[in-house]
Amino acid sequence: MSSVEDRVIETFQEEHRQTRDKCLELSDAIEAGDLDRAERLVAEIDRAAGPHFQYEEDALYPALIPFFGEEKVKELVAEHDEAIEAAETLAELTSQDELTEEEKQEALRALPNIMVHVSDCDGLTVYLEKADREVFEDIEQSMEEANEQGLTLTEYDETVRPSPEEIVA
């Protein structure tokens, strides 16, 4: 198996690729009016994003403070807030039997708030590569714990998610 650094970065990037693909498929499902498929995809994103956001906020974002400072890390957390709000909007809309044209457009406007997180966050690996091995070990442990806990994004947000101040502390 590869080094802890490689495992963390590979896992991080693969999770982003999977979310990218689900978001693109979700966009197609919304456009086609296939709400059963859209609802399933939203649920899959919710399940995958919970542990991902949890370890990002628990270990990854604090590790980025030396590179970007506390204020930028708080901005990253704010991007999570936008993605969570988008996921909640998408869950509400796709759970309906059908969408009006206005609701379809609302869903399609919400989706980029998740998609932009994927692209922006994935770029952080360029800086993360410069972190010490101990940082990667902490991130890997947080990944494992978050995956074991298995909270959806909604559950994470409603139960154990720390405040931005706690993340940068």
Side-chain angles (χ1 to χ4, degrees):
M1 187 80 192
S2 60
S3 69
V4 65
E5 295 90 346
D6 291 339
R7 285 193 307 270
V8 165
I9 289 173
E10 287 170 11
T11 300
F12 186 66
Q13 291 178 324
E14 182 56 28
E15 289 173 356
H16 285 143
R17 284 184 198 98
Q18 289 173 4
T19 301
R20 173 204 62 202
D21 293 347
K22 287 186 189 321
C23 284
L24 293 173
E25 189 177 344
L26 176 56
S27 178
D28 290 345
I30 292 167
E31 286 279 0
D34 186 348
L35 292 179
D36 289 337
R37 189 170 109 211
E39 187 175 24
R40 178 183 52 80
L41 288 162
V42 168
E44 289 175 13
I45 292 168
D46 189 38
R47 278 192 304 277
H52 183 83
F53 276 35
Q54 188 171 352
Y55 78 73
E56 281 183 342
E57 292 183 352
D58 177 58
L60 177 71
Y61 285 2
L64 294 172
I65 293 171
F67 298 106
F68 298 114
E70 290 181 7
E71 288 310 307
K72 180 59 181 174
V73 170
K74 286 180 183 178
E75 288 176 25
L76 294 170
V77 174
E79 286 182 16
H80 273 187
D81 293 338
E82 292 173 10
I84 291 167
E85 186 177 323
E88 290 169 347
T89 296
L90 289 163
E92 180 182 324
L93 290 170
T94 60
S95 68
Q96 301 177 165
D97 291 333
E98 63 181 83
L99 296 178
T100 65
E101 187 58 34
E102 183 177 305
E103 289 169 329
K104 180 192 279 189
Q105 293 309 312
E106 180 182 359
L108 293 171
R109 282 190 306 270
L111 194 51
N113 287 326
I114 298 171
M115 295 170 73
V116 76
H117 170 72
V118 170
S119 61
D120 289 354
C121 193
D122 202 67
L124 298 174
T125 58
V126 172
Y127 292 93
L128 185 60
E129 291 171 338
K130 293 295 190 181
D132 295 331
R133 180 178 177 83
E134 295 80 27
V135 168
F136 283 94
E137 290 169 351
D138 288 345
I139 294 169
E140 185 174 52
Q141 180 179 350
S142 183
M143 282 178 166
E144 291 169 1
E145 290 170 0
N147 282 313
E148 283 175 19
Q149 205 169 4
L151 297 174
T152 66
L153 183 57
T154 307
E155 292 167 338
Y156 169 63
D157 184 50
E158 293 173 352
T159 59
V160 299
R161 187 173 183 223
S163 69
E165 291 74 24
E166 292 170 310
I167 292 168
V168 298

